[in-house]
Amino acid sequence: MASHGLTYDGCNFFRQRLVLSTLSGKHVKIKNIRSRDDEPGLRDFEASFIRLLDKVTNGSRIEINQTGTVLFYQPGLLYGGPVEHDCNPQRSVGYYLEALLMLAPFMKTPLKATLKGVTNDPTDPTIDLLKSTALPLMKKFGIDGEAFEIKVVKRGMAPGGGGEVVFTCPVRKTIKPVQLTEPGKIKRIRGVAYSVRVSPQMGNRIVESARSVLNQFLPDIYIYTDHMKGTNSGKSPGFGLTLVAETLNGCFLSAEMSSTPQGQGDPVLPEDLGKNCAKLLLEEVYRGGCVDSSNQSLALLLMTLGQQDVSKVLLGPLSPYTIEFLRHIRDFFQIMFKIEVQTPLEDERKGGDKVLMTCVGVGYSRELKHSQDR
């Protein structure tokens, strides 16, 4: 095999490494996975993630030592097609879907993934968030089509799960370069207040409290309430809110909150949740940029894999996760970004410091990767 492998230490940024390995065709070895822990080795949700990668690829080789502290992964070809996967309830479906979003456009056949498990929890991005921000972002890179959607069939709150999500994505030969440098002002706010296995009134209470904060800024606010009943409501009670602000130039900034999972700490009032979520959205707007902080790494990956042309994206302050992702992109694709910090003037009212990221794509296509593998 032409491409050489990479070796990493520890369990951090596990998904980044495996996703980039799959795309670049370079094998990867991760050692010392929680080797000093009382329970060493891979956790169940990570093992479940490896199984999902195995399902969407053809001919991947995965070796794990007996204690689970060393993983060797040699990626196969991205195949796609219909895939069903039971996600581990320790993490939400969003944890798995984030990685699939990065891989899906480069499959051999269009992907139709049915993921079952926890759809909304406080730690991972929820399905609603990915649906309302990640998909529009990918459309800007030319990944679009009738069969490009995320559908919530059943909701499942943590810790019980029982939700079901269907993600379909068309195949793209190439990714087009983008120039996203002017986000523009916020024109409207949309949202979803969801509740399952609790009183339907919860949704209305969340909406009212969120509006009490946001109505001070603009009138065009519409928050849907989504109350699922019966078998579609999963196994655990809970509620939450996802808010998305859309700018004049079609950029989406988002924030979300979920209620504390049953039996895992102090319960939260829907009024407080609505207010805090609205404040989180305002904070995200202050950070600004054309991509919100939860989708920074997706945008940077698509820029890297774009045609051999210059892409520019204006981001808010980079999150630590994104900074590590940039290091991994350098390792796997030898691509370095030009980073310019822009500090807006006080009277411009454009929020905090922004970062302009520029790079030239590698002109990635499936054929290119296959020829490397031979």
Side-chain angles (χ1 to χ4, degrees), residues 49-345:
F49 180 73
I50 296 171
R51 280 196 292 277
L52 176 62
L53 277 187
D54 192 38
K55 283 178 187 172
V56 294
T57 57
N58 201 344
S60 291
R61 218 175 89 223
I62 300 153
E63 292 168 16
I64 303 171
N65 71 346
Q66 269 179 318
T67 51
T69 51
V70 179
L71 164 77
F72 174 79
Y73 175 70
Q74 183 163 339
L77 303 179
L78 280 166
Y79 189 75
V83 172
E84 274 199 28
H85 187 67
D86 287 327
C87 302
N88 189 290
Q90 290 171 346
R91 299 298 291 259
S92 87
V93 168
Y95 173 86
Y96 300 89
L97 192 56
E98 267 190 313
L100 280 186
L101 286 168
M102 293 177 168
L103 297 171
F106 310 105
M107 300 284 178
K108 191 174 178 194
T109 57
L111 179 71
K112 182 183 182 200
T114 307
L115 304 174
K116 295 175 181 172
V118 175
T119 56
N120 303 76
D121 77 352
T123 45
D124 293 305
T126 64
I127 297 308
D128 309 273
L129 183 94
L130 293 173
K131 187 175 174 171
S132 50
T133 59
L135 295 193
L137 171 66
M138 290 171 77
K139 285 178 182 169
K140 289 204 165 67
F141 286 89
I143 302 163
D144 199 1
E146 284 169 19
F148 184 47
E149 61 168 356
I150 294 174
K151 210 155 70 196
V152 183
V153 183
K154 298 175 183 171
R155 265 189 203 288
M157 301 293 289
E164 187 178 320
V165 176
V166 178
F167 167 53
T168 51
C169 180
V171 176
R172 281 286 159 270
K173 281 271 186 291
T174 52
I175 301 289
K176 68 177 197 209
V178 293
Q179 305 284 325
L180 301 174
T181 51
E182 276 298 321
K185 291 213 175 335
I186 305 291
K187 66 172 175 181
R188 61 172 169 219
I189 293 175
R190 294 286 177 266
V192 178
Y194 51 86
S195 53
V196 291
R197 299 195 174 268
V198 292
S199 154
Q201 204 49 46
M202 291 288 192
N204 303 340
R205 284 165 65 185
I206 295 171
V207 172
E208 249 164 66
S209 60
R211 290 190 73 111
S212 71
V213 175
L214 297 172
N215 269 346
Q216 300 167 33
F217 299 98
L218 82 169
D220 189 357
I221 299 170
Y222 198 90
I223 304 173
Y224 300 88
T225 52
D226 175 8
H227 181 74
M228 282 201 165
K229 294 192 177 82
T231 50
N232 291 352
S233 64
K235 296 174 183 168
S236 298
F239 51 85
L241 172 65
T242 301
L243 291 173
V244 179
E246 188 184 341
T247 69
L248 287 167
N249 296 345
C251 299
F252 294 84
L253 304 170
S254 63
E256 61 174 355
M257 280 190 90
S258 292
S259 59
T260 323
Q262 194 180 14
Q264 287 183 15
D266 299 334
V268 53
L269 276 173
E271 282 77 10
D272 298 346
L273 184 129
K275 273 209 179 76
N276 293 340
C277 188
K279 286 175 186 166
L280 278 179
L281 182 71
L282 296 177
E283 203 172 292
E284 193 64 62
V285 170
Y286 176 79
R287 282 196 214 115
C290 295
V291 181
D292 63 354
S293 48
S294 61
N295 288 308
Q296 284 176 350
S297 45
L298 176 62
L300 294 173
L301 177 75
L302 293 173
M303 285 166 72
T304 306
L305 300 176
Q307 293 164 8
Q308 288 170 334
D309 202 347
V310 178
S311 279
K312 285 186 181 187
V313 170
L314 186 73
L315 302 175
L318 301 179
S319 67
Y321 188 78
T322 309
I323 292 167
E324 202 57 45
F325 191 73
L326 286 168
R327 290 180 185 142
H328 282 118
I329 283 181
R330 187 190 58 199
D331 290 350
F332 283 98
F333 287 105
Q334 289 79 51
I335 286 278
M336 303 273 274
F337 281 77
K338 181 179 169 201
I339 302 175
E340 296 165 77
V341 178
Q342 301 179 347
T343 308
L345 301 168

